Amino acid sequence: MAIPSSISDPFASKFLPLSSSSYNPSRISVPAQITAKIEQTHLTALRRSQCSSLKASMGSPGFTQQLNNSKLDTLAEVKDGRDDIFNDLKDRFLSFKKNVYMENPEQFESLAKVQTPKFMVIACADSRVCPSNILGFQPGDAFTIRNVANLVPTFESGPSETNAALEFAVNTLLVENILVVGHSCCGGIRALMGMQDDGSTSFIKSWVIHGKNAKVKTKVSASNLDFDHQCTHCEKESINHSLVNLLSYPWIKEKVENEELSIHGGYYDFVNCSFEKWTLDYRGTKLEENGRIVTKNKVFWS
Amino acid sequence: MANQSSELAIEQLKKLLREKEELNGVATAKIEQLIVELQGCHPNPIEPADQRIIDGFTYFKLNNFNKNPELYDRLAKGQSPKFMVFACSDSRVSPSVILNFQPGEAFMVRNIANMVPPFNQLRYSGVGATLEYAITALKVENILVIGHSRCGGISRLMNHPEDGSAPYDFIDDWVKIGLSSKVKVLKEHERCDFKEQCKFCEMESVNNSLVNLKTYPYVDREIRNKNLALLGGYYDFVSGEFKLWKYKNHVTEPVTIPLKGLDMTI
């Protein structure tokens, strides 16, 4: 097979570090005449490309004569616009390195050895609600999980990525606070509230069903509101249900009882730019009473 | 930066905020603004929990939200991020910090060891839901999976004996998604010490996640239609470096083997 580049093993070649100096995205052009020498040039050009993850293989020269020029042209493509993405990400990292990393060498050196975050944060994957942006968490502050609708499944629902992270944060990192942050206009909660029992399945349905208790409660207590307001109600209700679900984990419950761990809920409204925060009052909460929780230290900032 | 008198003022103002819970929104905001102006800098990381959060939020509101009204007006109506990012839950590797993603730019999933499991309709609905939403509803153009140095999840994967002698916790059940990268690294780098092997596995696991991404039908469809690119990244916070690469997958054009004039025993 004489085609110069066979991409059977895309991960075989060297990675290109962004922090190195010369970085030149170049269009690869292939001369019309096909000879073994041209194949060599092609290989070199491909290796220089910033998206080079190709392993080249050379076939016997006898086959090359069958090839068309146009076929090689398609092989030599570098997708338009992807160079921009590489440049964009490179600029982003270099700006962090210059303005943050190099400005705090001792802090980053000690962080490189070990992390000791005081917080574990469970937030939605929504692009508008990153806890590092809205709550100013710096490197080393918060061990963060982000999933659709910031849900916490119960202990009984079995292994999942959320459970794994809870285990690590609470038992290994020994965080002192767990903060579940919900937000306005949440697509996941909206999907939960709008879910029909029509037998269709999807990943989104299978996931947001973990918040079904919040939906039930909302339908009961907020049935007079329009759909949008019901969703807002459910967004907050779901945070409280996640807090209750946290207590279904024996190791979390034990630490909360011993006052080694505090559980907090937070709600970020990005329409009005306000933040509410409350803490679970474990002593006051009677879980047998329908999972109703008692909160303390409720604050609202806007 | 603050001299003694402004430090005292900051303390008194903070005390006022803590003790007077009935302060109305306007007064609270004014006091917070005064504190931030007096501090003139980023929130102090050693404050107790509540204070920490309020400092962070106030800083964001005054220095970001209030200064970009059109952006936040637009975001309040909807999001259209170009990126979907998978990153580790590690407190040191928030992509918003290291790649300066602002609100609205990146739909972000964070889990232990930034893993993407293969398509499985019976489990891993958490990751499945994020992909389903990002591709079908948000129509992101790039998925970037970022690994990092000194990853506890990868270390746990590499450390776990496969002979059934150690207990199998939730964490082990999760990180075993990366088992094929562990096998590959142990085979290709068996002479290296454990720390080096972990480093190779951190990068190999990113590749494993990229391969797994392609098993999701809608991901595969969008890649074929050239609407979606898969990128891998590696943040090394020990050396302060970032590596970036692309997952490309390509089927070469066929070569026609002529029937006549050639030795058929080739």
Side-chain angles (χ1 to χ4, degrees), chain A residues 67-97:
Chain A
L67 281 177
N68 242 325
N69 294 356
S70 60
K71 301 278 195 311
L72 268 181
D73 282 344
T74 50
L75 285 174
E77 54 92 80
V78 172
K79 177 87 168 86
D80 293 338
R82 299 305 170 199
D83 306 349
D84 299 334
I85 296 290
F86 267 63
N87 278 328
D88 176 36
L89 289 169
K90 173 187 143 195
D91 290 340
R92 286 173 182 277
F93 180 70
L94 290 178
S95 139
F96 156 72
K97 181 145 185 194

PDB file of all heavy atoms in Angstrom, chain A residues 67-97:
ATOM      1  N   LEU A  67      -1.784   5.533  -8.320  1.00  0.00           N
ATOM      2  CA  LEU A  67      -2.439   6.592  -7.563  1.00  0.00           C
ATOM      3  C   LEU A  67      -2.724   7.830  -8.374  1.00  0.00           C
ATOM      4  O   LEU A  67      -1.980   8.213  -9.248  1.00  0.00           O
ATOM      5  CB  LEU A  67      -1.557   7.015  -6.379  1.00  0.00           C
ATOM      6  CG  LEU A  67      -1.615   6.097  -5.178  1.00  0.00           C
ATOM      7  CD1 LEU A  67      -0.644   6.588  -4.137  1.00  0.00           C
ATOM      8  CD2 LEU A  67      -3.008   6.060  -4.600  1.00  0.00           C
ATOM      9  N   ASN A  68      -3.750   8.464  -8.026  1.00  0.00           N
ATOM     10  CA  ASN A  68      -4.162   9.726  -8.622  1.00  0.00           C
ATOM     11  C   ASN A  68      -3.582  10.874  -7.829  1.00  0.00           C
ATOM     12  O   ASN A  68      -3.456  10.785  -6.622  1.00  0.00           O
ATOM     13  CB  ASN A  68      -5.681   9.845  -8.480  1.00  0.00           C
ATOM     14  CG  ASN A  68      -6.320   9.904  -9.822  1.00  0.00           C
ATOM     15  OD1 ASN A  68      -5.764  10.477 -10.743  1.00  0.00           O
ATOM     16  ND2 ASN A  68      -7.467   9.276  -9.924  1.00  0.00           N
ATOM     17  N   ASN A  69      -3.331  12.023  -8.457  1.00  0.00           N
ATOM     18  CA  ASN A  69      -2.889  13.199  -7.708  1.00  0.00           C
ATOM     19  C   ASN A  69      -3.938  13.617  -6.699  1.00  0.00           C
ATOM     20  O   ASN A  69      -3.662  13.935  -5.575  1.00  0.00           O
ATOM     21  CB  ASN A  69      -2.682  14.383  -8.654  1.00  0.00           C
ATOM     22  CG  ASN A  69      -1.539  14.117  -9.600  1.00  0.00           C
ATOM     23  OD1 ASN A  69      -0.874  13.085  -9.474  1.00  0.00           O
ATOM     24  ND2 ASN A  69      -1.312  15.017 -10.516  1.00  0.00           N
ATOM     25  N   SER A  70      -5.174  13.589  -7.146  1.00  0.00           N
ATOM     26  CA  SER A  70      -6.235  14.123  -6.283  1.00  0.00           C
ATOM     27  C   SER A  70      -6.382  13.310  -5.010  1.00  0.00           C
ATOM     28  O   SER A  70      -6.734  13.835  -3.976  1.00  0.00           O
ATOM     29  CB  SER A  70      -7.553  14.147  -7.047  1.00  0.00           C
ATOM     30  OG  SER A  70      -7.863  12.831  -7.441  1.00  0.00           O
ATOM     31  N   LYS A  71      -6.058  12.024  -5.092  1.00  0.00           N
ATOM     32  CA  LYS A  71      -6.192  11.210  -3.889  1.00  0.00           C
ATOM     33  C   LYS A  71      -5.227  11.675  -2.816  1.00  0.00           C
ATOM     34  O   LYS A  71      -5.549  11.768  -1.663  1.00  0.00           O
ATOM     35  CB  LYS A  71      -5.904   9.732  -4.209  1.00  0.00           C
ATOM     36  CG  LYS A  71      -6.798   9.119  -5.259  1.00  0.00           C
ATOM     37  CD  LYS A  71      -8.116   8.689  -4.641  1.00  0.00           C
ATOM     38  CE  LYS A  71      -8.928   7.755  -5.519  1.00  0.00           C
ATOM     39  NZ  LYS A  71      -9.112   8.164  -6.881  1.00  0.00           N
ATOM     40  N   LEU A  72      -3.989  11.991  -3.254  1.00  0.00           N
ATOM     41  CA  LEU A  72      -3.005  12.429  -2.275  1.00  0.00           C
ATOM     42  C   LEU A  72      -3.392  13.775  -1.702  1.00  0.00           C
ATOM     43  O   LEU A  72      -3.143  14.064  -0.546  1.00  0.00           O
ATOM     44  CB  LEU A  72      -1.620  12.534  -2.915  1.00  0.00           C
ATOM     45  CG  LEU A  72      -0.771  11.267  -2.795  1.00  0.00           C
ATOM     46  CD1 LEU A  72       0.577  11.472  -3.431  1.00  0.00           C
ATOM     47  CD2 LEU A  72      -0.594  10.890  -1.334  1.00  0.00           C
ATOM     48  N   ASP A  73      -4.019  14.622  -2.509  1.00  0.00           N
ATOM     49  CA  ASP A  73      -4.411  15.931  -2.004  1.00  0.00           C
ATOM     50  C   ASP A  73      -5.343  15.787  -0.815  1.00  0.00           C
ATOM     51  O   ASP A  73      -5.227  16.473   0.163  1.00  0.00           O
ATOM     52  CB  ASP A  73      -5.127  16.745  -3.100  1.00  0.00           C
ATOM     53  CG  ASP A  73      -4.117  17.320  -4.072  1.00  0.00           C
ATOM     54  OD1 ASP A  73      -2.922  17.356  -3.728  1.00  0.00           O
ATOM     55  OD2 ASP A  73      -4.510  17.721  -5.160  1.00  0.00           O
ATOM     56  N   THR A  74      -6.294  14.844  -0.913  1.00  0.00           N
ATOM     57  CA  THR A  74      -7.219  14.717   0.209  1.00  0.00           C
ATOM     58  C   THR A  74      -6.497  14.207   1.445  1.00  0.00           C
ATOM     59  O   THR A  74      -6.820  14.589   2.546  1.00  0.00           O
ATOM     60  CB  THR A  74      -8.386  13.766  -0.105  1.00  0.00           C
ATOM     61  OG1 THR A  74      -7.865  12.557  -0.613  1.00  0.00           O
ATOM     62  CG2 THR A  74      -9.334  14.383  -1.092  1.00  0.00           C
ATOM     63  N   LEU A  75      -5.489  13.354   1.249  1.00  0.00           N
ATOM     64  CA  LEU A  75      -4.743  12.856   2.399  1.00  0.00           C
ATOM     65  C   LEU A  75      -3.990  13.966   3.090  1.00  0.00           C
ATOM     66  O   LEU A  75      -3.771  13.952   4.273  1.00  0.00           O
ATOM     67  CB  LEU A  75      -3.728  11.801   1.959  1.00  0.00           C
ATOM     68  CG  LEU A  75      -4.321  10.447   1.608  1.00  0.00           C
ATOM     69  CD1 LEU A  75      -3.231   9.563   1.052  1.00  0.00           C
ATOM     70  CD2 LEU A  75      -4.937   9.817   2.825  1.00  0.00           C
ATOM     71  N   ALA A  76      -3.577  14.965   2.284  1.00  0.00           N
ATOM     72  CA  ALA A  76      -2.719  16.009   2.827  1.00  0.00           C
ATOM     73  C   ALA A  76      -3.516  17.113   3.486  1.00  0.00           C
ATOM     74  O   ALA A  76      -2.997  18.152   3.787  1.00  0.00           O
ATOM     75  CB  ALA A  76      -1.869  16.588   1.708  1.00  0.00           C
ATOM     76  N   GLU A  77      -4.785  16.906   3.710  1.00  0.00           N
ATOM     77  CA  GLU A  77      -5.607  18.005   4.193  1.00  0.00           C
ATOM     78  C   GLU A  77      -5.293  18.380   5.640  1.00  0.00           C
ATOM     79  O   GLU A  77      -4.964  17.556   6.468  1.00  0.00           O
ATOM     80  CB  GLU A  77      -7.102  17.650   4.086  1.00  0.00           C
ATOM     81  CG  GLU A  77      -7.505  16.348   4.775  1.00  0.00           C
ATOM     82  CD  GLU A  77      -7.969  16.500   6.216  1.00  0.00           C
ATOM     83  OE1 GLU A  77      -9.103  16.877   6.448  1.00  0.00           O
ATOM     84  OE2 GLU A  77      -7.167  16.238   7.109  1.00  0.00           O
ATOM     85  N   VAL A  78      -5.405  19.667   5.909  1.00  0.00           N
ATOM     86  CA  VAL A  78      -5.433  20.138   7.284  1.00  0.00           C
ATOM     87  C   VAL A  78      -6.741  20.888   7.385  1.00  0.00           C
ATOM     88  O   VAL A  78      -6.961  21.820   6.633  1.00  0.00           O
ATOM     89  CB  VAL A  78      -4.262  21.099   7.579  1.00  0.00           C
ATOM     90  CG1 VAL A  78      -4.429  21.728   8.937  1.00  0.00           C
ATOM     91  CG2 VAL A  78      -2.956  20.345   7.504  1.00  0.00           C
ATOM     92  N   LYS A  79      -7.598  20.473   8.270  1.00  0.00           N
ATOM     93  CA  LYS A  79      -8.946  21.035   8.286  1.00  0.00           C
ATOM     94  C   LYS A  79      -8.906  22.524   8.584  1.00  0.00           C
ATOM     95  O   LYS A  79      -8.246  22.961   9.509  1.00  0.00           O
ATOM     96  CB  LYS A  79      -9.764  20.285   9.333  1.00  0.00           C
ATOM     97  CG  LYS A  79     -11.167  20.792   9.543  1.00  0.00           C
ATOM     98  CD  LYS A  79     -12.134  20.145   8.574  1.00  0.00           C
ATOM     99  CE  LYS A  79     -13.588  20.425   8.957  1.00  0.00           C
ATOM    100  NZ  LYS A  79     -14.096  21.651   8.433  1.00  0.00           N
ATOM    101  N   ASP A  80      -9.673  23.290   7.784  1.00  0.00           N
ATOM    102  CA  ASP A  80      -9.744  24.728   8.017  1.00  0.00           C
ATOM    103  C   ASP A  80     -10.292  24.998   9.408  1.00  0.00           C
ATOM    104  O   ASP A  80     -11.174  24.313   9.862  1.00  0.00           O
ATOM    105  CB  ASP A  80     -10.723  25.369   7.020  1.00  0.00           C
ATOM    106  CG  ASP A  80     -10.190  25.281   5.613  1.00  0.00           C
ATOM    107  OD1 ASP A  80      -8.962  25.131   5.462  1.00  0.00           O
ATOM    108  OD2 ASP A  80     -10.994  25.345   4.692  1.00  0.00           O
ATOM    109  N   GLY A  81      -9.762  26.038  10.034  1.00  0.00           N
ATOM    110  CA  GLY A  81     -10.342  26.467  11.301  1.00  0.00           C
ATOM    111  C   GLY A  81      -9.786  25.703  12.491  1.00  0.00           C
ATOM    112  O   GLY A  81      -9.823  26.209  13.600  1.00  0.00           O
ATOM    113  N   ARG A  82      -9.308  24.461  12.285  1.00  0.00           N
ATOM    114  CA  ARG A  82      -8.786  23.725  13.431  1.00  0.00           C
ATOM    115  C   ARG A  82      -7.484  24.331  13.911  1.00  0.00           C
ATOM    116  O   ARG A  82      -7.155  24.258  15.082  1.00  0.00           O
ATOM    117  CB  ARG A  82      -8.575  22.245  13.081  1.00  0.00           C
ATOM    118  CG  ARG A  82      -9.824  21.519  12.681  1.00  0.00           C
ATOM    119  CD  ARG A  82     -10.910  21.624  13.727  1.00  0.00           C
ATOM    120  NE  ARG A  82     -12.176  21.122  13.241  1.00  0.00           N
ATOM    121  CZ  ARG A  82     -13.354  21.408  13.766  1.00  0.00           C
ATOM    122  NH1 ARG A  82     -13.430  22.217  14.772  1.00  0.00           N
ATOM    123  NH2 ARG A  82     -14.452  20.892  13.267  1.00  0.00           N
ATOM    124  N   ASP A  83      -6.714  24.934  12.953  1.00  0.00           N
ATOM    125  CA  ASP A  83      -5.481  25.620  13.357  1.00  0.00           C
ATOM    126  C   ASP A  83      -5.835  26.722  14.328  1.00  0.00           C
ATOM    127  O   ASP A  83      -5.099  26.997  15.267  1.00  0.00           O
ATOM    128  CB  ASP A  83      -4.796  26.243  12.142  1.00  0.00           C
ATOM    129  CG  ASP A  83      -4.564  25.224  11.044  1.00  0.00           C
ATOM    130  OD1 ASP A  83      -4.735  24.027  11.314  1.00  0.00           O
ATOM    131  OD2 ASP A  83      -4.192  25.630   9.936  1.00  0.00           O
ATOM    132  N   ASP A  84      -6.971  27.385  14.096  1.00  0.00           N
ATOM    133  CA  ASP A  84      -7.401  28.459  14.979  1.00  0.00           C
ATOM    134  C   ASP A  84      -7.658  27.948  16.380  1.00  0.00           C
ATOM    135  O   ASP A  84      -7.357  28.618  17.351  1.00  0.00           O
ATOM    136  CB  ASP A  84      -8.695  29.097  14.468  1.00  0.00           C
ATOM    137  CG  ASP A  84      -8.498  29.699  13.086  1.00  0.00           C
ATOM    138  OD1 ASP A  84      -7.349  30.050  12.763  1.00  0.00           O
ATOM    139  OD2 ASP A  84      -9.489  29.799  12.350  1.00  0.00           O
ATOM    140  N   ILE A  85      -8.237  26.764  16.476  1.00  0.00           N
ATOM    141  CA  ILE A  85      -8.525  26.204  17.792  1.00  0.00           C
ATOM    142  C   ILE A  85      -7.222  25.968  18.546  1.00  0.00           C
ATOM    143  O   ILE A  85      -7.116  26.315  19.716  1.00  0.00           O
ATOM    144  CB  ILE A  85      -9.303  24.874  17.663  1.00  0.00           C
ATOM    145  CG1 ILE A  85     -10.668  25.108  17.036  1.00  0.00           C
ATOM    146  CG2 ILE A  85      -9.444  24.210  19.015  1.00  0.00           C
ATOM    147  CD1 ILE A  85     -11.633  25.839  17.918  1.00  0.00           C
ATOM    148  N   PHE A  86      -6.234  25.405  17.851  1.00  0.00           N
ATOM    149  CA  PHE A  86      -4.952  25.159  18.502  1.00  0.00           C
ATOM    150  C   PHE A  86      -4.339  26.468  18.968  1.00  0.00           C
ATOM    151  O   PHE A  86      -3.821  26.578  20.076  1.00  0.00           O
ATOM    152  CB  PHE A  86      -4.003  24.442  17.534  1.00  0.00           C
ATOM    153  CG  PHE A  86      -4.049  22.947  17.662  1.00  0.00           C
ATOM    154  CD1 PHE A  86      -5.207  22.240  17.382  1.00  0.00           C
ATOM    155  CD2 PHE A  86      -2.943  22.236  18.088  1.00  0.00           C
ATOM    156  CE1 PHE A  86      -5.259  20.864  17.514  1.00  0.00           C
ATOM    157  CE2 PHE A  86      -2.978  20.858  18.223  1.00  0.00           C
ATOM    158  CZ  PHE A  86      -4.133  20.168  17.930  1.00  0.00           C
ATOM    159  N   ASN A  87      -4.395  27.497  18.107  1.00  0.00           N
ATOM    160  CA  ASN A  87      -3.834  28.788  18.478  1.00  0.00           C
ATOM    161  C   ASN A  87      -4.575  29.377  19.666  1.00  0.00           C
ATOM    162  O   ASN A  87      -3.978  29.936  20.585  1.00  0.00           O
ATOM    163  CB  ASN A  87      -3.926  29.772  17.308  1.00  0.00           C
ATOM    164  CG  ASN A  87      -2.796  29.573  16.325  1.00  0.00           C
ATOM    165  OD1 ASN A  87      -1.698  29.196  16.725  1.00  0.00           O
ATOM    166  ND2 ASN A  87      -3.053  29.817  15.065  1.00  0.00           N
ATOM    167  N   ASP A  88      -5.888  29.248  19.629  1.00  0.00           N
ATOM    168  CA  ASP A  88      -6.722  29.786  20.701  1.00  0.00           C
ATOM    169  C   ASP A  88      -6.359  29.140  22.035  1.00  0.00           C
ATOM    170  O   ASP A  88      -6.120  29.834  23.031  1.00  0.00           O
ATOM    171  CB  ASP A  88      -8.196  29.521  20.351  1.00  0.00           C
ATOM    172  CG  ASP A  88      -9.143  29.949  21.451  1.00  0.00           C
ATOM    173  OD1 ASP A  88      -8.869  30.971  22.120  1.00  0.00           O
ATOM    174  OD2 ASP A  88     -10.168  29.274  21.651  1.00  0.00           O
ATOM    175  N   LEU A  89      -6.286  27.811  22.047  1.00  0.00           N
ATOM    176  CA  LEU A  89      -5.968  27.112  23.298  1.00  0.00           C
ATOM    177  C   LEU A  89      -4.549  27.433  23.744  1.00  0.00           C
ATOM    178  O   LEU A  89      -4.282  27.593  24.942  1.00  0.00           O
ATOM    179  CB  LEU A  89      -6.161  25.607  23.110  1.00  0.00           C
ATOM    180  CG  LEU A  89      -7.638  25.185  22.977  1.00  0.00           C
ATOM    181  CD1 LEU A  89      -7.749  23.738  22.539  1.00  0.00           C
ATOM    182  CD2 LEU A  89      -8.376  25.363  24.297  1.00  0.00           C
ATOM    183  N   LYS A  90      -3.664  27.559  22.796  1.00  0.00           N
ATOM    184  CA  LYS A  90      -2.275  27.886  23.144  1.00  0.00           C
ATOM    185  C   LYS A  90      -2.229  29.252  23.828  1.00  0.00           C
ATOM    186  O   LYS A  90      -1.599  29.421  24.873  1.00  0.00           O
ATOM    187  CB  LYS A  90      -1.428  27.900  21.868  1.00  0.00           C
ATOM    188  CG  LYS A  90       0.001  28.393  22.079  1.00  0.00           C
ATOM    189  CD  LYS A  90       0.700  28.521  20.748  1.00  0.00           C
ATOM    190  CE  LYS A  90       1.628  29.734  20.725  1.00  0.00           C
ATOM    191  NZ  LYS A  90       2.064  30.102  19.394  1.00  0.00           N
ATOM    192  N   ASP A  91      -2.918  30.245  23.246  1.00  0.00           N
ATOM    193  CA  ASP A  91      -2.925  31.583  23.844  1.00  0.00           C
ATOM    194  C   ASP A  91      -3.518  31.556  25.242  1.00  0.00           C
ATOM    195  O   ASP A  91      -3.044  32.232  26.151  1.00  0.00           O
ATOM    196  CB  ASP A  91      -3.745  32.558  22.983  1.00  0.00           C
ATOM    197  CG  ASP A  91      -3.045  32.872  21.672  1.00  0.00           C
ATOM    198  OD1 ASP A  91      -1.811  32.665  21.594  1.00  0.00           O
ATOM    199  OD2 ASP A  91      -3.722  33.316  20.723  1.00  0.00           O
ATOM    200  N   ARG A  92      -4.599  30.783  25.388  1.00  0.00           N
ATOM    201  CA  ARG A  92      -5.253  30.707  26.698  1.00  0.00           C
ATOM    202  C   ARG A  92      -4.285  30.189  27.755  1.00  0.00           C
ATOM    203  O   ARG A  92      -4.174  30.743  28.853  1.00  0.00           O
ATOM    204  CB  ARG A  92      -6.453  29.754  26.627  1.00  0.00           C
ATOM    205  CG  ARG A  92      -7.650  30.309  25.893  1.00  0.00           C
ATOM    206  CD  ARG A  92      -8.707  29.224  25.733  1.00  0.00           C
ATOM    207  NE  ARG A  92      -9.855  29.702  24.995  1.00  0.00           N
ATOM    208  CZ  ARG A  92     -10.855  30.378  25.528  1.00  0.00           C
ATOM    209  NH1 ARG A  92     -10.842  30.659  26.805  1.00  0.00           N
ATOM    210  NH2 ARG A  92     -11.865  30.777  24.780  1.00  0.00           N
ATOM    211  N   PHE A  93      -3.567  29.095  27.410  1.00  0.00           N
ATOM    212  CA  PHE A  93      -2.676  28.527  28.416  1.00  0.00           C
ATOM    213  C   PHE A  93      -1.518  29.465  28.717  1.00  0.00           C
ATOM    214  O   PHE A  93      -1.119  29.636  29.875  1.00  0.00           O
ATOM    215  CB  PHE A  93      -2.140  27.160  27.979  1.00  0.00           C
ATOM    216  CG  PHE A  93      -1.224  26.561  29.012  1.00  0.00           C
ATOM    217  CD1 PHE A  93      -1.736  26.107  30.219  1.00  0.00           C
ATOM    218  CD2 PHE A  93       0.143  26.495  28.818  1.00  0.00           C
ATOM    219  CE1 PHE A  93      -0.913  25.586  31.192  1.00  0.00           C
ATOM    220  CE2 PHE A  93       0.982  25.970  29.788  1.00  0.00           C
ATOM    221  CZ  PHE A  93       0.456  25.512  30.977  1.00  0.00           C
ATOM    222  N   LEU A  94      -0.971  30.084  27.677  1.00  0.00           N
ATOM    223  CA  LEU A  94       0.164  30.971  27.902  1.00  0.00           C
ATOM    224  C   LEU A  94      -0.236  32.168  28.760  1.00  0.00           C
ATOM    225  O   LEU A  94       0.553  32.655  29.575  1.00  0.00           O
ATOM    226  CB  LEU A  94       0.760  31.431  26.566  1.00  0.00           C
ATOM    227  CG  LEU A  94       1.488  30.307  25.811  1.00  0.00           C
ATOM    228  CD1 LEU A  94       2.012  30.797  24.470  1.00  0.00           C
ATOM    229  CD2 LEU A  94       2.638  29.751  26.642  1.00  0.00           C
ATOM    230  N   SER A  95      -1.452  32.640  28.595  1.00  0.00           N
ATOM    231  CA  SER A  95      -1.913  33.749  29.424  1.00  0.00           C
ATOM    232  C   SER A  95      -2.010  33.318  30.891  1.00  0.00           C
ATOM    233  O   SER A  95      -1.606  34.044  31.807  1.00  0.00           O
ATOM    234  CB  SER A  95      -3.259  34.258  28.873  1.00  0.00           C
ATOM    235  OG  SER A  95      -4.145  34.544  29.894  1.00  0.00           O
ATOM    236  N   PHE A  96      -2.523  32.096  31.132  1.00  0.00           N
ATOM    237  CA  PHE A  96      -2.563  31.575  32.505  1.00  0.00           C
ATOM    238  C   PHE A  96      -1.144  31.440  33.046  1.00  0.00           C
ATOM    239  O   PHE A  96      -0.846  31.839  34.180  1.00  0.00           O
ATOM    240  CB  PHE A  96      -3.259  30.212  32.534  1.00  0.00           C
ATOM    241  CG  PHE A  96      -2.878  29.340  33.706  1.00  0.00           C
ATOM    242  CD1 PHE A  96      -3.319  29.653  34.989  1.00  0.00           C
ATOM    243  CD2 PHE A  96      -2.079  28.224  33.549  1.00  0.00           C
ATOM    244  CE1 PHE A  96      -2.966  28.865  36.079  1.00  0.00           C
ATOM    245  CE2 PHE A  96      -1.722  27.432  34.635  1.00  0.00           C
ATOM    246  CZ  PHE A  96      -2.163  27.749  35.892  1.00  0.00           C
ATOM    247  N   LYS A  97      -0.271  30.884  32.232  1.00  0.00           N
ATOM    248  CA  LYS A  97       1.089  30.640  32.710  1.00  0.00           C
ATOM    249  C   LYS A  97       1.765  31.947  33.098  1.00  0.00           C
ATOM    250  O   LYS A  97       2.398  32.054  34.140  1.00  0.00           O
ATOM    251  CB  LYS A  97       1.894  29.923  31.631  1.00  0.00           C
ATOM    252  CG  LYS A  97       3.304  29.626  32.077  1.00  0.00           C
ATOM    253  CD  LYS A  97       3.840  28.334  31.538  1.00  0.00           C
ATOM    254  CE  LYS A  97       5.219  28.092  32.169  1.00  0.00           C
ATOM    255  NZ  LYS A  97       5.967  27.054  31.506  1.00  0.00           N
TER     256      LYS A  97
END
